[in-house]
Structure formats: C-alpha cells, structure tokens
Amino acid sequence: KAGVTQTPRYLIKTRGQQVTLSCSPISGHRSVSWYQQTPGQGLQFLFEYFSETQRNKGNFPGRFSGRQFSNSRSEMNVSTLELGDSALYLCASSLVTSGTDTQYFGPGTRLTVL
Amino acid sequence: GENVEQHPSTLSVQEGDSAVIKCTYSDSASNYFPWYKQELGKRPQLIIDIRSNVGEKKDQRIAVTLNKTAKHFSLHITETQPEDSAVYFCAAIPSGGYQKVTFGTGTKLQVIP
C-alpha cells in the first residue's frame, strides 16, 4: 500500500496570507489527524477527522481549520498567517479513531512564514 | 490534561551498546503508548508500541516495557548501530481518539561508530 502523502512538501508565505495543505491517507484509513511540529513546542495535536467529521480540536486558534472529504483525503487551512506558524505540519492516518489504532505519518509540509 | 516527561533529551552511546529512553505519564486513562523514530528531515515512523494490558513487547533489537503502577514506559535498543541515530518520541494516548495524545519532548540518540 502507498503511504500517507502530503502536498506541497515546502511552502513559503508572508504574514497575513493564507495557506492550504493537503493530506492523502493510506487507502482504507478513515481517520486523519494533523499535528504541528516546532523545535520549541515539539509535536502538538491540531485536529482529527473521521468520516468527514472533525472529532476534536487541539489548543490552536480559529485561524487553523480543516476538513475531510468522502475519500478520506483531508485539507488543513491556516488563515492570516503569523511568523509563529512556521513549522512542519504532519498528518497521520489510521484505520479507525479508537485512539489505540496505529497511526502512520506523512512526510510533512514545511511551512515558512516570512 | 496529560503530561509526558521524556528523558534523557540527548543520549550518546558507542556502537554495540544498549540505549534506554524513559517516559513518564500522568493520566491513568492513557492506555496506548507508541514510540516513534524521526530521522533528520523525515517523517516520524512507528517503531514499536505497547498497550496497557501488556507489560513488555519486543521486536528484534527493540523492546518496550510498561509499568502502569508507576506510570512509566521505556524504550530499549540493544546492539545499537549508527543507523539508529535519530530523535525518538514517546506518546501516551487514552482511548477515544487521538485528540488527547501527548508526545514526549524527544530524545536525540547518537550512536558513535
């Protein structure tokens, strides 16, 4: 099976712009989670989608949003970008959303905000 | 909420020696504990995981032990090799979804040839 894919791999934006990141899960996986990874804060949970529904959201401002499509592909959007949004954004997929199901990470999107 | 402490933050070992990384969690509801390896510029990869109904799990040179009473779990790598050099993350997850996942701060392991 193909692994989790993310596009684009690298993005450079300026403050105030918005960005959309895409994640394609492993075939058959219905749960997609998004994470932000920074040197200072480490890995932090953004949100999780299952069957096109956002199950929960981490402690991030409303500028961070997402959605999931019927084919389980997911997008994440960040509006009004700030310098502090520079990070590696990782998505991970799993079969179900029990919390004990193995997650597989994508390669990430490196976002740089200037 | 859950708090996961991971130690040490950096670890250097000679090739062939063993490496041990420890994580302590606070939420007794956590019942799934994966370990990830992340090489520079690459995605985190699951290397081993353990569930709360198991005390120890081994996969070749890698093992994980869980002490539910003390709320800590450890990663053991034996016969280390230079390709084991990476950052290792632990995580603690309660049932019900990954919204409550908490990751450790990571351990940078360097295996010296």
Side-chain angles (χ1 to χ4, degrees), chain B residues 43-94:
Chain B
R43 73 186 75 192
Q45 286 192 303
L46 178 74
I47 54 172
I48 197 166
D49 57 10
I50 192 166
R51 290 170 170 78
S52 61
N53 58 345
V54 177
E56 183 175 357
K57 184 176 178 181
K58 189 174 181 180
D59 183 5
Q60 299 183 353
R61 297 186 297 109
I62 296 173
V64 56
T65 58
L66 171 65
N67 184 326
K68 288 174 56 182
T69 303
K71 294 182 186 171
H72 68 71
F73 55 110
S74 300
L75 176 70
H76 304 254
I77 306 174
T78 59
E79 301 172 19
T80 53
Q81 301 166 3
E83 51 265 38
D84 293 331
S85 296
V87 177
Y88 292 81
F89 293 95
C90 64
I93 306 161

mmCIF file of all heavy atoms in Angstrom, chain B residues 43-94:
data_model
loop_
_atom_site.group_PDB
_atom_site.id
_atom_site.type_symbol
_atom_site.label_atom_id
_atom_site.label_comp_id
_atom_site.label_asym_id
_atom_site.label_seq_id
_atom_site.Cartn_x
_atom_site.Cartn_y
_atom_site.Cartn_z
ATOM 1 N N ARG B 43 9.820 11.823 8.168
ATOM 2 C CA ARG B 43 8.588 11.682 8.951
ATOM 3 C C ARG B 43 8.835 10.816 10.180
ATOM 4 O O ARG B 43 9.709 9.957 10.173
ATOM 5 C CB ARG B 43 7.515 11.015 8.083
ATOM 6 C CG ARG B 43 7.737 9.527 7.822
ATOM 7 C CD ARG B 43 6.737 8.963 6.853
ATOM 8 N NE ARG B 43 7.019 9.351 5.487
ATOM 9 C CZ ARG B 43 6.180 9.184 4.477
ATOM 10 N NH1 ARG B 43 4.987 8.656 4.694
ATOM 11 N NH2 ARG B 43 6.499 9.550 3.254
ATOM 12 N N PRO B 44 8.053 11.016 11.240
ATOM 13 C CA PRO B 44 8.119 10.086 12.378
ATOM 14 C C PRO B 44 7.637 8.712 11.927
ATOM 15 O O PRO B 44 6.624 8.595 11.237
ATOM 16 C CB PRO B 44 7.152 10.699 13.397
ATOM 17 C CG PRO B 44 6.990 12.127 12.991
ATOM 18 C CD PRO B 44 7.124 12.128 11.499
ATOM 19 N N GLN B 45 8.359 7.690 12.323
ATOM 20 C CA GLN B 45 7.969 6.328 11.974
ATOM 21 C C GLN B 45 7.754 5.536 13.248
ATOM 22 O O GLN B 45 8.606 5.543 14.145
ATOM 23 C CB GLN B 45 9.053 5.668 11.118
ATOM 24 C CG GLN B 45 9.100 6.188 9.688
ATOM 25 C CD GLN B 45 9.968 5.328 8.800
ATOM 26 O OE1 GLN B 45 11.136 5.123 9.092
ATOM 27 N NE2 GLN B 45 9.414 4.832 7.707
ATOM 28 N N LEU B 46 6.645 4.850 13.308
ATOM 29 C CA LEU B 46 6.365 3.991 14.445
ATOM 30 C C LEU B 46 7.362 2.844 14.468
ATOM 31 O O LEU B 46 7.554 2.146 13.472
ATOM 32 C CB LEU B 46 4.942 3.433 14.336
ATOM 33 C CG LEU B 46 4.530 2.477 15.455
ATOM 34 C CD1 LEU B 46 4.264 3.265 16.730
ATOM 35 C CD2 LEU B 46 3.311 1.674 15.059
ATOM 36 N N ILE B 47 8.029 2.663 15.595
ATOM 37 C CA ILE B 47 8.985 1.562 15.683
ATOM 38 C C ILE B 47 8.482 0.457 16.609
ATOM 39 O O ILE B 47 8.810 -0.715 16.417
ATOM 40 C CB ILE B 47 10.380 2.042 16.144
ATOM 41 C CG1 ILE B 47 10.297 2.819 17.465
ATOM 42 C CG2 ILE B 47 11.033 2.879 15.064
ATOM 43 C CD1 ILE B 47 11.658 3.140 18.069
ATOM 44 N N ILE B 48 7.706 0.812 17.584
ATOM 45 C CA ILE B 48 7.123 -0.192 18.476
ATOM 46 C C ILE B 48 6.046 0.490 19.301
ATOM 47 O O ILE B 48 6.089 1.709 19.501
ATOM 48 C CB ILE B 48 8.210 -0.845 19.375
ATOM 49 C CG1 ILE B 48 7.697 -2.154 19.990
ATOM 50 C CG2 ILE B 48 8.686 0.132 20.450
ATOM 51 C CD1 ILE B 48 8.822 -3.009 20.602
ATOM 52 N N ASP B 49 5.079 -0.278 19.738
ATOM 53 C CA ASP B 49 4.034 0.283 20.599
ATOM 54 C C ASP B 49 3.615 -0.763 21.620
ATOM 55 O O ASP B 49 3.900 -1.949 21.466
ATOM 56 C CB ASP B 49 2.833 0.777 19.780
ATOM 57 C CG ASP B 49 2.215 -0.319 18.910
ATOM 58 O OD1 ASP B 49 2.578 -1.508 19.060
ATOM 59 O OD2 ASP B 49 1.378 0.009 18.053
ATOM 60 N N ILE B 50 2.970 -0.288 22.661
ATOM 61 C CA ILE B 50 2.511 -1.203 23.702
ATOM 62 C C ILE B 50 1.178 -0.707 24.224
ATOM 63 O O ILE B 50 0.935 0.504 24.289
ATOM 64 C CB ILE B 50 3.567 -1.337 24.833
ATOM 65 C CG1 ILE B 50 3.226 -2.514 25.752
ATOM 66 C CG2 ILE B 50 3.703 -0.034 25.619
ATOM 67 C CD1 ILE B 50 4.385 -2.916 26.667
ATOM 68 N N ARG B 51 0.320 -1.651 24.546
ATOM 69 C CA ARG B 51 -0.978 -1.306 25.094
ATOM 70 C C ARG B 51 -1.023 -1.681 26.563
ATOM 71 O O ARG B 51 -0.243 -2.527 27.016
ATOM 72 C CB ARG B 51 -2.087 -1.978 24.285
ATOM 73 C CG ARG B 51 -2.208 -1.364 22.896
ATOM 74 C CD ARG B 51 -3.094 -2.116 21.960
ATOM 75 N NE ARG B 51 -3.359 -1.375 20.735
ATOM 76 C CZ ARG B 51 -2.516 -1.267 19.712
ATOM 77 N NH1 ARG B 51 -1.356 -1.863 19.769
ATOM 78 N NH2 ARG B 51 -2.839 -0.553 18.645
ATOM 79 N N SER B 52 -1.935 -1.072 27.291
ATOM 80 C CA SER B 52 -1.858 -1.141 28.754
ATOM 81 C C SER B 52 -2.134 -2.522 29.312
ATOM 82 O O SER B 52 -1.950 -2.742 30.500
ATOM 83 C CB SER B 52 -2.814 -0.132 29.381
ATOM 84 O OG SER B 52 -4.139 -0.419 28.999
ATOM 85 N N ASN B 53 -2.571 -3.456 28.509
ATOM 86 C CA ASN B 53 -2.786 -4.804 29.021
ATOM 87 C C ASN B 53 -1.547 -5.696 28.845
ATOM 88 O O ASN B 53 -1.594 -6.897 29.081
ATOM 89 C CB ASN B 53 -3.997 -5.445 28.335
ATOM 90 C CG ASN B 53 -3.829 -5.510 26.828
ATOM 91 O OD1 ASN B 53 -2.963 -4.861 26.262
ATOM 92 N ND2 ASN B 53 -4.670 -6.310 26.192
ATOM 93 N N VAL B 54 -0.453 -5.066 28.407
ATOM 94 C CA VAL B 54 0.790 -5.798 28.178
ATOM 95 C C VAL B 54 1.902 -5.112 28.950
ATOM 96 O O VAL B 54 1.952 -3.894 29.028
ATOM 97 C CB VAL B 54 1.135 -5.824 26.669
ATOM 98 C CG1 VAL B 54 2.465 -6.512 26.432
ATOM 99 C CG2 VAL B 54 0.020 -6.512 25.894
ATOM 100 N N GLY B 55 2.830 -5.884 29.521
ATOM 101 C CA GLY B 55 3.909 -5.293 30.300
ATOM 102 C C GLY B 55 5.193 -5.099 29.513
ATOM 103 O O GLY B 55 5.988 -4.219 29.824
ATOM 104 N N GLU B 56 5.368 -5.934 28.480
ATOM 105 C CA GLU B 56 6.601 -5.853 27.714
ATOM 106 C C GLU B 56 6.338 -6.356 26.299
ATOM 107 O O GLU B 56 5.531 -7.250 26.079
ATOM 108 C CB GLU B 56 7.697 -6.692 28.369
ATOM 109 C CG GLU B 56 9.042 -6.606 27.663
ATOM 110 C CD GLU B 56 10.139 -7.350 28.408
ATOM 111 O OE1 GLU B 56 9.871 -7.886 29.491
ATOM 112 O OE2 GLU B 56 11.276 -7.381 27.894
ATOM 113 N N LYS B 57 7.038 -5.736 25.362
ATOM 114 C CA LYS B 57 6.923 -6.154 23.971
ATOM 115 C C LYS B 57 8.288 -6.013 23.321
ATOM 116 O O LYS B 57 8.997 -5.042 23.582
ATOM 117 C CB LYS B 57 5.890 -5.291 23.242
ATOM 118 C CG LYS B 57 5.607 -5.684 21.815
ATOM 119 C CD LYS B 57 4.496 -4.790 21.255
ATOM 120 C CE LYS B 57 4.197 -5.105 19.801
ATOM 121 N NZ LYS B 57 3.120 -4.211 19.280
ATOM 122 N N LYS B 58 8.644 -7.001 22.505
ATOM 123 C CA LYS B 58 9.967 -6.978 21.899
ATOM 124 C C LYS B 58 9.858 -7.217 20.399
ATOM 125 O O LYS B 58 9.039 -8.012 19.939
ATOM 126 C CB LYS B 58 10.841 -8.050 22.545
ATOM 127 C CG LYS B 58 12.312 -7.978 22.156
ATOM 128 C CD LYS B 58 13.134 -8.975 22.954
ATOM 129 C CE LYS B 58 14.608 -8.867 22.575
ATOM 130 N NZ LYS B 58 15.448 -9.831 23.339
ATOM 131 N N ASP B 59 10.715 -6.528 19.652
ATOM 132 C CA ASP B 59 10.793 -6.708 18.206
ATOM 133 C C ASP B 59 12.254 -6.611 17.805
ATOM 134 O O ASP B 59 12.799 -5.528 17.670
ATOM 135 C CB ASP B 59 9.955 -5.652 17.474
ATOM 136 C CG ASP B 59 9.955 -5.849 15.972
ATOM 137 O OD1 ASP B 59 10.523 -6.853 15.492
ATOM 138 O OD2 ASP B 59 9.380 -5.003 15.263
ATOM 139 N N GLN B 60 12.891 -7.753 17.693
ATOM 140 C CA GLN B 60 14.305 -7.845 17.352
ATOM 141 C C GLN B 60 15.139 -7.070 18.367
ATOM 142 O O GLN B 60 15.178 -7.439 19.536
ATOM 143 C CB GLN B 60 14.516 -7.362 15.915
ATOM 144 C CG GLN B 60 13.758 -8.211 14.898
ATOM 145 C CD GLN B 60 14.002 -7.802 13.458
ATOM 146 O OE1 GLN B 60 14.645 -6.798 13.159
ATOM 147 N NE2 GLN B 60 13.491 -8.583 12.536
ATOM 148 N N ARG B 61 15.801 -5.987 17.961
ATOM 149 C CA ARG B 61 16.681 -5.277 18.895
ATOM 150 C C ARG B 61 15.953 -4.233 19.741
ATOM 151 O O ARG B 61 16.549 -3.560 20.577
ATOM 152 C CB ARG B 61 17.802 -4.578 18.106
ATOM 153 C CG ARG B 61 18.721 -5.503 17.352
ATOM 154 C CD ARG B 61 19.887 -4.736 16.719
ATOM 155 N NE ARG B 61 19.429 -3.759 15.724
ATOM 156 C CZ ARG B 61 19.454 -2.443 15.889
ATOM 157 N NH1 ARG B 61 19.888 -1.910 17.029
ATOM 158 N NH2 ARG B 61 19.056 -1.638 14.930
ATOM 159 N N ILE B 62 14.673 -4.081 19.504
ATOM 160 C CA ILE B 62 13.910 -3.043 20.182
ATOM 161 C C ILE B 62 12.899 -3.669 21.134
ATOM 162 O O ILE B 62 12.239 -4.650 20.775
ATOM 163 C CB ILE B 62 13.186 -2.149 19.153
ATOM 164 C CG1 ILE B 62 14.203 -1.412 18.286
ATOM 165 C CG2 ILE B 62 12.263 -1.157 19.841
ATOM 166 C CD1 ILE B 62 13.586 -0.651 17.143
ATOM 167 N N ALA B 63 12.796 -3.095 22.307
ATOM 168 C CA ALA B 63 11.811 -3.567 23.279
ATOM 169 C C ALA B 63 11.210 -2.375 24.005
ATOM 170 O O ALA B 63 11.837 -1.317 24.126
ATOM 171 C CB ALA B 63 12.455 -4.523 24.285
ATOM 172 N N VAL B 64 9.999 -2.548 24.453
ATOM 173 C CA VAL B 64 9.347 -1.518 25.263
ATOM 174 C C VAL B 64 8.772 -2.199 26.496
ATOM 175 O O VAL B 64 8.227 -3.299 26.422
ATOM 176 C CB VAL B 64 8.246 -0.768 24.478
ATOM 177 C CG1 VAL B 64 7.205 -1.717 23.925
ATOM 178 C CG2 VAL B 64 7.605 0.310 25.334
ATOM 179 N N THR B 65 8.932 -1.548 27.640
ATOM 180 C CA THR B 65 8.359 -2.045 28.882
ATOM 181 C C THR B 65 7.409 -1.000 29.439
ATOM 182 O O THR B 65 7.605 0.204 29.257
ATOM 183 C CB THR B 65 9.452 -2.340 29.921
ATOM 184 O OG1 THR B 65 10.208 -1.143 30.160
ATOM 185 C CG2 THR B 65 10.391 -3.428 29.426
ATOM 186 N N LEU B 66 6.370 -1.463 30.097
ATOM 187 C CA LEU B 66 5.361 -0.575 30.654
ATOM 188 C C LEU B 66 5.115 -0.930 32.109
ATOM 189 O O LEU B 66 4.870 -2.085 32.442
ATOM 190 C CB LEU B 66 4.053 -0.696 29.863
ATOM 191 C CG LEU B 66 2.818 0.005 30.435
ATOM 192 C CD1 LEU B 66 3.004 1.518 30.446
ATOM 193 C CD2 LEU B 66 1.581 -0.388 29.647
ATOM 194 N N ASN B 67 5.170 0.059 32.959
ATOM 195 C CA ASN B 67 4.835 -0.107 34.372
ATOM 196 C C ASN B 67 3.645 0.803 34.655
ATOM 197 O O ASN B 67 3.789 2.003 34.857
ATOM 198 C CB ASN B 67 6.038 0.275 35.254
ATOM 199 C CG ASN B 67 5.785 0.039 36.727
ATOM 200 O OD1 ASN B 67 4.662 0.196 37.218
ATOM 201 N ND2 ASN B 67 6.808 -0.350 37.454
ATOM 202 N N LYS B 68 2.452 0.222 34.654
ATOM 203 C CA LYS B 68 1.236 1.007 34.830
ATOM 204 C C LYS B 68 1.138 1.618 36.221
ATOM 205 O O LYS B 68 0.626 2.720 36.395
ATOM 206 C CB LYS B 68 0.011 0.145 34.558
ATOM 207 C CG LYS B 68 -0.201 -0.203 33.104
ATOM 208 C CD LYS B 68 -1.353 -1.172 32.942
ATOM 209 C CE LYS B 68 -2.640 -0.658 33.552
ATOM 210 N NZ LYS B 68 -3.738 -1.642 33.424
ATOM 211 N N THR B 69 1.620 0.903 37.200
ATOM 212 C CA THR B 69 1.540 1.395 38.571
ATOM 213 C C THR B 69 2.359 2.664 38.726
ATOM 214 O O THR B 69 1.913 3.652 39.317
ATOM 215 C CB THR B 69 2.024 0.332 39.562
ATOM 216 O OG1 THR B 69 1.239 -0.853 39.378
ATOM 217 C CG2 THR B 69 1.911 0.819 40.995
ATOM 218 N N ALA B 70 3.570 2.622 38.199
ATOM 219 C CA ALA B 70 4.461 3.776 38.305
ATOM 220 C C ALA B 70 4.212 4.781 37.177
ATOM 221 O O ALA B 70 4.780 5.877 37.188
ATOM 222 C CB ALA B 70 5.914 3.318 38.271
ATOM 223 N N LYS B 71 3.385 4.430 36.205
ATOM 224 C CA LYS B 71 3.069 5.291 35.058
ATOM 225 C C LYS B 71 4.321 5.665 34.291
ATOM 226 O O LYS B 71 4.570 6.854 34.002
ATOM 227 C CB LYS B 71 2.305 6.540 35.513
ATOM 228 C CG LYS B 71 0.934 6.251 36.078
ATOM 229 C CD LYS B 71 0.223 7.537 36.459
ATOM 230 C CE LYS B 71 -1.086 7.233 37.147
ATOM 231 N NZ LYS B 71 -1.698 8.451 37.709
ATOM 232 N N HIS B 72 5.118 4.682 33.973
ATOM 233 C CA HIS B 72 6.222 4.967 33.075
ATOM 234 C C HIS B 72 6.457 3.814 32.127
ATOM 235 O O HIS B 72 6.076 2.671 32.385
ATOM 236 C CB HIS B 72 7.495 5.377 33.835
ATOM 237 C CG HIS B 72 8.136 4.311 34.653
ATOM 238 N ND1 HIS B 72 8.803 3.233 34.115
ATOM 239 C CD2 HIS B 72 8.248 4.182 35.994
ATOM 240 C CE1 HIS B 72 9.282 2.486 35.085
ATOM 241 N NE2 HIS B 72 8.952 3.038 36.229
ATOM 242 N N PHE B 73 7.029 4.149 30.992
ATOM 243 C CA PHE B 73 7.345 3.159 29.979
ATOM 244 C C PHE B 73 8.689 3.519 29.349
ATOM 245 O O PHE B 73 9.085 4.698 29.333
ATOM 246 C CB PHE B 73 6.235 3.039 28.922
ATOM 247 C CG PHE B 73 5.845 4.314 28.231
ATOM 248 C CD1 PHE B 73 6.151 4.511 26.902
ATOM 249 C CD2 PHE B 73 5.134 5.319 28.900
ATOM 250 C CE1 PHE B 73 5.774 5.666 26.247
ATOM 251 C CE2 PHE B 73 4.757 6.473 28.261
ATOM 252 C CZ PHE B 73 5.075 6.654 26.936
ATOM 253 N N SER B 74 9.385 2.511 28.910
ATOM 254 C CA SER B 74 10.762 2.711 28.448
ATOM 255 C C SER B 74 11.007 2.007 27.120
ATOM 256 O O SER B 74 10.429 0.950 26.846
ATOM 257 C CB SER B 74 11.757 2.172 29.484
ATOM 258 O OG SER B 74 11.613 2.837 30.721
ATOM 259 N N LEU B 75 11.873 2.622 26.340
ATOM 260 C CA LEU B 75 12.323 2.050 25.080
ATOM 261 C C LEU B 75 13.736 1.536 25.270
ATOM 262 O O LEU B 75 14.591 2.252 25.800
ATOM 263 C CB LEU B 75 12.303 3.110 23.972
ATOM 264 C CG LEU B 75 12.837 2.679 22.605
ATOM 265 C CD1 LEU B 75 11.865 1.690 21.955
ATOM 266 C CD2 LEU B 75 13.049 3.890 21.705
ATOM 267 N N HIS B 76 13.984 0.291 24.858
ATOM 268 C CA HIS B 76 15.297 -0.318 24.978
ATOM 269 C C HIS B 76 15.771 -0.709 23.581
ATOM 270 O O HIS B 76 15.051 -1.411 22.860
ATOM 271 C CB HIS B 76 15.235 -1.574 25.855
ATOM 272 C CG HIS B 76 14.673 -1.338 27.223
ATOM 273 N ND1 HIS B 76 15.439 -1.305 28.361
ATOM 274 C CD2 HIS B 76 13.395 -1.115 27.630
ATOM 275 C CE1 HIS B 76 14.664 -1.074 29.423
ATOM 276 N NE2 HIS B 76 13.419 -0.958 29.011
ATOM 277 N N ILE B 77 16.944 -0.230 23.233
ATOM 278 C CA ILE B 77 17.545 -0.609 21.960
ATOM 279 C C ILE B 77 18.862 -1.312 22.275
ATOM 280 O O ILE B 77 19.742 -0.732 22.934
ATOM 281 C CB ILE B 77 17.819 0.603 21.047
ATOM 282 C CG1 ILE B 77 16.539 1.428 20.849
ATOM 283 C CG2 ILE B 77 18.369 0.143 19.695
ATOM 284 C CD1 ILE B 77 16.768 2.720 20.073
ATOM 285 N N THR B 78 18.990 -2.543 21.866
ATOM 286 C CA THR B 78 20.224 -3.292 22.108
ATOM 287 C C THR B 78 21.070 -3.320 20.844
ATOM 288 O O THR B 78 20.580 -3.085 19.728
ATOM 289 C CB THR B 78 19.916 -4.731 22.545
ATOM 290 O OG1 THR B 78 19.140 -5.359 21.514
ATOM 291 C CG2 THR B 78 19.118 -4.744 23.847
ATOM 292 N N GLU B 79 22.353 -3.598 21.041
ATOM 293 C CA GLU B 79 23.296 -3.703 19.915
ATOM 294 C C GLU B 79 23.126 -2.541 18.941
ATOM 295 O O GLU B 79 22.916 -2.730 17.742
ATOM 296 C CB GLU B 79 23.112 -5.040 19.199
ATOM 297 C CG GLU B 79 23.323 -6.250 20.097
ATOM 298 C CD GLU B 79 22.932 -7.560 19.403
ATOM 299 O OE1 GLU B 79 22.849 -7.594 18.168
ATOM 300 O OE2 GLU B 79 22.710 -8.545 20.133
ATOM 301 N N THR B 80 23.222 -1.328 19.476
ATOM 302 C CA THR B 80 22.947 -0.146 18.657
ATOM 303 C C THR B 80 23.871 -0.058 17.446
ATOM 304 O O THR B 80 25.037 -0.493 17.482
ATOM 305 C CB THR B 80 23.084 1.142 19.481
ATOM 306 O OG1 THR B 80 24.364 1.159 20.123
ATOM 307 C CG2 THR B 80 21.984 1.244 20.523
ATOM 308 N N GLN B 81 23.320 0.524 16.392
ATOM 309 C CA GLN B 81 24.050 0.698 15.143
ATOM 310 C C GLN B 81 23.971 2.173 14.733
ATOM 311 O O GLN B 81 23.061 2.881 15.162
ATOM 312 C CB GLN B 81 23.414 -0.193 14.056
ATOM 313 C CG GLN B 81 23.415 -1.667 14.419
ATOM 314 C CD GLN B 81 22.511 -2.498 13.523
ATOM 315 O OE1 GLN B 81 21.903 -2.010 12.576
ATOM 316 N NE2 GLN B 81 22.437 -3.796 13.826
ATOM 317 N N PRO B 82 24.909 2.642 13.921
ATOM 318 C CA PRO B 82 24.885 4.057 13.524
ATOM 319 C C PRO B 82 23.552 4.490 12.922
ATOM 320 O O PRO B 82 23.117 5.620 13.144
ATOM 321 C CB PRO B 82 26.027 4.139 12.502
ATOM 322 C CG PRO B 82 26.982 3.086 12.933
ATOM 323 C CD PRO B 82 26.115 1.954 13.433
ATOM 324 N N GLU B 83 22.872 3.601 12.226
ATOM 325 C CA GLU B 83 21.585 3.954 11.621
ATOM 326 C C GLU B 83 20.466 4.099 12.649
ATOM 327 O O GLU B 83 19.355 4.516 12.299
ATOM 328 C CB GLU B 83 21.190 2.938 10.546
ATOM 329 C CG GLU B 83 21.239 1.500 10.991
ATOM 330 C CD GLU B 83 22.556 0.836 10.631
ATOM 331 O OE1 GLU B 83 23.619 1.488 10.721
ATOM 332 O OE2 GLU B 83 22.522 -0.361 10.286
ATOM 333 N N ASP B 84 20.750 3.783 13.895
ATOM 334 C CA ASP B 84 19.766 4.030 14.958
ATOM 335 C C ASP B 84 19.786 5.500 15.383
ATOM 336 O O ASP B 84 18.903 5.938 16.130
ATOM 337 C CB ASP B 84 20.058 3.156 16.191
ATOM 338 C CG ASP B 84 19.853 1.674 15.922
ATOM 339 O OD1 ASP B 84 19.006 1.325 15.063
ATOM 340 O OD2 ASP B 84 20.550 0.860 16.555
ATOM 341 N N SER B 85 20.777 6.241 14.939
ATOM 342 C CA SER B 85 20.874 7.663 15.293
ATOM 343 C C SER B 85 19.672 8.416 14.736
ATOM 344 O O SER B 85 19.399 8.371 13.534
ATOM 345 C CB SER B 85 22.171 8.267 14.743
ATOM 346 O OG SER B 85 23.301 7.658 15.336
ATOM 347 N N ALA B 86 18.943 9.069 15.626
ATOM 348 C CA ALA B 86 17.716 9.773 15.255
ATOM 349 C C ALA B 86 17.133 10.405 16.514
ATOM 350 O O ALA B 86 17.692 10.276 17.600
ATOM 351 C CB ALA B 86 16.695 8.809 14.644
ATOM 352 N N VAL B 87 16.005 11.070 16.350
ATOM 353 C CA VAL B 87 15.248 11.553 17.504
ATOM 354 C C VAL B 87 14.098 10.577 17.753
ATOM 355 O O VAL B 87 13.400 10.187 16.831
ATOM 356 C CB VAL B 87 14.689 12.965 17.268
ATOM 357 C CG1 VAL B 87 13.835 13.407 18.456
ATOM 358 C CG2 VAL B 87 15.835 13.956 17.053
ATOM 359 N N TYR B 88 13.943 10.179 18.992
ATOM 360 C CA TYR B 88 12.902 9.236 19.369
ATOM 361 C C TYR B 88 11.865 9.945 20.235
ATOM 362 O O TYR B 88 12.205 10.658 21.181
ATOM 363 C CB TYR B 88 13.504 8.055 20.134
ATOM 364 C CG TYR B 88 14.379 7.183 19.254
ATOM 365 C CD1 TYR B 88 15.688 7.545 18.967
ATOM 366 C CD2 TYR B 88 13.877 6.018 18.685
ATOM 367 C CE1 TYR B 88 16.486 6.766 18.138
ATOM 368 C CE2 TYR B 88 14.665 5.218 17.858
ATOM 369 C CZ TYR B 88 15.963 5.601 17.587
ATOM 370 O OH TYR B 88 16.743 4.830 16.757
ATOM 371 N N PHE B 89 10.586 9.746 19.891
ATOM 372 C CA PHE B 89 9.483 10.340 20.633
ATOM 373 C C PHE B 89 8.616 9.252 21.240
ATOM 374 O O PHE B 89 8.299 8.264 20.582
ATOM 375 C CB PHE B 89 8.569 11.157 19.705
ATOM 376 C CG PHE B 89 9.204 12.375 19.123
ATOM 377 C CD1 PHE B 89 9.783 12.343 17.862
ATOM 378 C CD2 PHE B 89 9.197 13.568 19.821
ATOM 379 C CE1 PHE B 89 10.358 13.466 17.319
ATOM 380 C CE2 PHE B 89 9.772 14.699 19.277
ATOM 381 C CZ PHE B 89 10.351 14.652 18.020
ATOM 382 N N CYS B 90 8.210 9.472 22.469
ATOM 383 C CA CYS B 90 7.190 8.609 23.042
ATOM 384 C C CYS B 90 5.863 9.358 23.005
ATOM 385 O O CYS B 90 5.835 10.573 22.794
ATOM 386 C CB CYS B 90 7.529 8.229 24.482
ATOM 387 S SG CYS B 90 7.556 9.641 25.630
ATOM 388 N N ALA B 91 4.783 8.644 23.191
ATOM 389 C CA ALA B 91 3.464 9.274 23.244
ATOM 390 C C ALA B 91 2.574 8.464 24.177
ATOM 391 O O ALA B 91 2.760 7.253 24.333
ATOM 392 C CB ALA B 91 2.836 9.372 21.856
ATOM 393 N N ALA B 92 1.635 9.143 24.792
ATOM 394 C CA ALA B 92 0.642 8.488 25.652
ATOM 395 C C ALA B 92 -0.731 8.898 25.163
ATOM 396 O O ALA B 92 -1.000 10.089 24.959
ATOM 397 C CB ALA B 92 0.840 8.914 27.106
ATOM 398 N N ILE B 93 -1.586 7.917 24.956
ATOM 399 C CA ILE B 93 -2.893 8.183 24.353
ATOM 400 C C ILE B 93 -3.976 7.443 25.126
ATOM 401 O O ILE B 93 -3.904 6.231 25.303
ATOM 402 C CB ILE B 93 -2.916 7.711 22.883
ATOM 403 C CG1 ILE B 93 -1.755 8.341 22.101
ATOM 404 C CG2 ILE B 93 -4.254 8.064 22.227
ATOM 405 C CD1 ILE B 93 -1.424 7.632 20.825
ATOM 406 N N PRO B 94 -5.011 8.177 25.564
ATOM 407 C CA PRO B 94 -6.156 7.489 26.169
ATOM 408 C C PRO B 94 -7.085 6.984 25.065
ATOM 409 O O PRO B 94 -7.006 7.439 23.922
ATOM 410 C CB PRO B 94 -6.816 8.594 26.988
ATOM 411 C CG PRO B 94 -6.455 9.851 26.280
ATOM 412 C CD PRO B 94 -5.132 9.618 25.609
#
